[in-house]
C-alpha cells in the first residue's frame, strides 16, 4: 500500500512513517498542508493520514480541496482536539475516519485496514500466476505448494508486480510505489531487492516468472 502522511510534528510523522514501513507499506511524508495537497493531487495513494492543525493549509482545507477536485482517496484525520464539532466538520468535509491524538500506532493501522477493506470488496485477495500463489490478506506466498518467506519490502515488491502481471513495470513505478516519492530510482537498491526476490521466487524452479525488460523494468508472467 502507498500512504501519504501529512503531519507537521516531526515526532508523530516519523513514528507513523516507521510503523507503516515496518508493515511493508510505502510512505510519503509531508510536513505542511501545501506539500500534502501537492502530493495528494499529483500522486496516487491508497490512503491519506491527515493532521488537522497544519501550517500553510489546514487539514480541513486540504480535504475540502481534494474532494472538490474529485479525489476520493480515503482520508483519516488526526486531531488533537476531541470536540464533537471537529469530528463532525471533518466527516462533512469528506474524511472517512478520524483518530484523536495521542494514539497507538496499532490503532491507526487497524483503522487504515478497515477503511481499505470497505472499498476493496471486489478486489482479489489471492492472485496466482504460473504456480505462484500470493495471498494478499494473509501475506502468504507459495510456489507449487512450497511456502516462501519474504521480507515486508520483498512482499510489497511482489504484490506490485503480481497485481500487474504481464504488464511491464518500470523502475520509476517501483521506486514511487514500493519505496516512496522521494526515493532515487537511479540507485541500485531496486536491483538488489529484485535479485533477492528472484532467488526466492524463481531460484528453485525451472521456469522463471520475473523477467527483465532491458532498459525499462520488469514483468512478472508465466512464459512457455
Ligand atoms: Ca499539527
Amino acid at each position: 500500500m502507498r500512504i501519504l502522511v501529512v503531519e507537521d510534528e516531526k515526532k508523530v510523522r516519523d513514528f507513523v512513517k516507521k510503523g507503516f514501513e515496518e508493515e511493508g507499506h510505502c510512505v510519503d511524508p509531508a510536513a505542511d498542508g501545501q506539500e500534502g495537497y501537492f502530493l495528494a493531487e499529483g500522486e496516487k495513494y491508497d490512503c491519506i493520514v491527515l493532521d488537522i492543525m497544519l501550517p500553510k493549509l489546514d487539514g480541513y482545507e486540504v480535504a475540502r480541496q481534494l474532494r472538490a477536485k474529485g479525489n476520493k482517496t480515503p482520508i483519516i484525520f488526526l486531531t488533537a482536539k476531541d470536540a464533537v464539532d471537529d469530528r463532525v466538520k471533518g466527516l462533512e468535509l469528506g474524511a472517512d475516519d478520524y483518530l484523536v491524538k495521542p494514539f497507538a500506532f496499532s490503532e491507526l493501522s487497524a483503522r487504515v485496514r478497515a477503511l481499505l477493506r470497505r472499498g476493496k470488496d471486489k478486489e482479489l485477495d489471492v492472485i496466482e500466476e504460473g504456480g505462484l500463489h500470493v495471498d494478499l490478506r494473509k501475506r502468504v506466498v507459495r510456489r507449487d505448494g512450497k511456502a516462501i518467506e519474504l521480507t515486508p519490502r520483498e512482499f510489497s515488491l511482489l504484490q506490485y508486480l503480481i497485481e500487474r502481471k504481464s504488464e511491464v513495470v518500470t523502475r520509476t513505478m517501483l521506486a514511487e510505489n514500493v519505496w516512496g516519492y522521494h526515493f532515487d530510482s537511479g540507485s541500485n537498491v531496486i536491483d538488489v531487492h529484485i535479485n533477492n526476490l528472484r532467488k526466492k521466487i524463481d531460484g528453485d524452479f525451472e521456469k522463471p516468472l520475473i523477467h527483465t525488460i532491458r532498459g525499462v523494468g520488469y514483468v512478472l508472467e508465466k512464459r512457455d
Side-chain angles (χ1 to χ4, degrees), residues 7-9 51 53-54 101:
E7 165 65 75
D8 56 319
E9 261 177 87
D51 187 28
M53 301 294 282
L54 286 168
K101 287 196 250 182

Side-chain angles (χ1 to χ4, degrees), residues 155-166:
F155 186 87
S156 299
L157 197 52
L158 177 62
Q159 177 173 355
Y160 194 81
L161 287 166
I162 203 166
E163 281 178 339
R164 291 156 190 79
K165 61 183 179 186
S166 300

Side-chain angles (χ1 to χ4, degrees), residues 76-154:
I76 296 185
F77 269 137
L78 299 181
T79 173
K81 313 171 199 168
D82 59 351
V84 175
D85 282 1
D86 287 336
R87 298 183 183 194
V88 171
K89 189 176 174 191
L91 296 173
E92 277 175 353
L93 283 169
D96 299 274
D97 202 352
Y98 53 84
L99 200 54
V100 177
K101 287 196 250 182
F103 54 87
F105 178 76
S106 57
E107 176 66 15
L108 176 60
S109 171
R111 299 285 187 98
V112 168
R113 260 180 281 130
L115 203 58
L116 294 173
R117 264 202 303 276
R118 270 191 242 160
K120 274 206 165 176
D121 291 346
K122 280 176 258 119
E123 285 184 35
L124 293 171
D125 284 343
V126 175
I127 307 181
E128 288 180 293
E129 176 76 359
L132 181 67
H133 169 109
V134 181
D135 187 322
L136 300 176
R137 189 165 295 187
K138 294 184 190 151
R139 300 176 75 84
V140 170
V141 180
R142 292 179 198 283
R143 187 160 176 193
D144 295 348
K146 183 181 167 232
I148 297 171
E149 294 281 335
L150 298 181
T151 65
R153 185 73 80 190
E154 287 162 2

Side-chain angles (χ1 to χ4, degrees), residues 10-217:
K10 190 177 183 305
K11 224 174 92 188
V12 179
R13 192 170 67 236
D14 289 349
F15 131 90
V16 169
K17 182 173 187 288
K18 184 164 169 276
F20 281 126
E21 285 178 347
E22 281 171 359
E23 293 186 345
H25 303 305
C26 164
V27 176
D28 286 342
D32 64 61
Q34 243 167 38
E35 188 189 4
Y37 177 78
F38 170 78
L39 285 170
E41 256 295 286
E43 304 292 314
K44 182 112 186 70
Y45 295 99
D46 298 293
C47 181
I48 301 171
V49 177
L50 183 58
D51 187 28
I52 291 179
M53 301 294 282
L54 286 168
K56 296 185 185 170
L57 207 59
D58 71 26
Y60 293 135
E61 198 49 29
V62 173
R64 196 189 62 72
Q65 291 187 18
L66 285 173
R67 294 302 186 240
K69 280 213 161 187
N71 185 316
K72 295 189 179 75
T73 308
I75 294 175
I76 296 185
F77 269 137
L78 299 181
T79 173
K81 313 171 199 168
D82 59 351
V84 175
D85 282 1
D86 287 336
R87 298 183 183 194
V88 171
K89 189 176 174 191
L91 296 173
E92 277 175 353
L93 283 169
D96 299 274
D97 202 352
Y98 53 84
L99 200 54
V100 177
K101 287 196 250 182
F103 54 87
F105 178 76
S106 57
E107 176 66 15
L108 176 60
S109 171
R111 299 285 187 98
V112 168
R113 260 180 281 130
L115 203 58
L116 294 173
R117 264 202 303 276
R118 270 191 242 160
K120 274 206 165 176
D121 291 346
K122 280 176 258 119
E123 285 184 35
L124 293 171
D125 284 343
V126 175
I127 307 181
E128 288 180 293
E129 176 76 359
L132 181 67
H133 169 109
V134 181
D135 187 322
L136 300 176
R137 189 165 295 187
K138 294 184 190 151
R139 300 176 75 84
V140 170
V141 180
R142 292 179 198 283
R143 187 160 176 193
D144 295 348
K146 183 181 167 232
I148 297 171
E149 294 281 335
L150 298 181
T151 65
R153 185 73 80 190
E154 287 162 2
F155 186 87
S156 299
L157 197 52
L158 177 62
Q159 177 173 355
Y160 194 81
L161 287 166
I162 203 166
E163 281 178 339
R164 291 156 190 79
K165 61 183 179 186
S166 300
E167 291 172 31
V168 176
V169 170
T170 67
R171 296 169 57 84
T172 304
M173 287 161 78
L174 289 174
E176 288 188 1
N177 291 284
V178 180
W179 276 270
Y181 182 69
H182 300 285
F183 184 79
D184 172 16
S185 64
S187 80
N188 71 347
V189 173
I190 295 176
D191 306 271
V192 171
H193 279 83
I194 286 276
N195 284 338
N196 291 340
L197 183 62
R198 266 189 169 141
K199 275 181 214 148
K200 294 182 182 181
I201 297 297
D202 289 335
D204 295 338
F205 300 88
E206 195 187 330
K207 288 190 174 158
L209 292 172
I210 299 173
H211 310 276
T212 302
I213 311 293
R214 202 168 287 278
V216 182

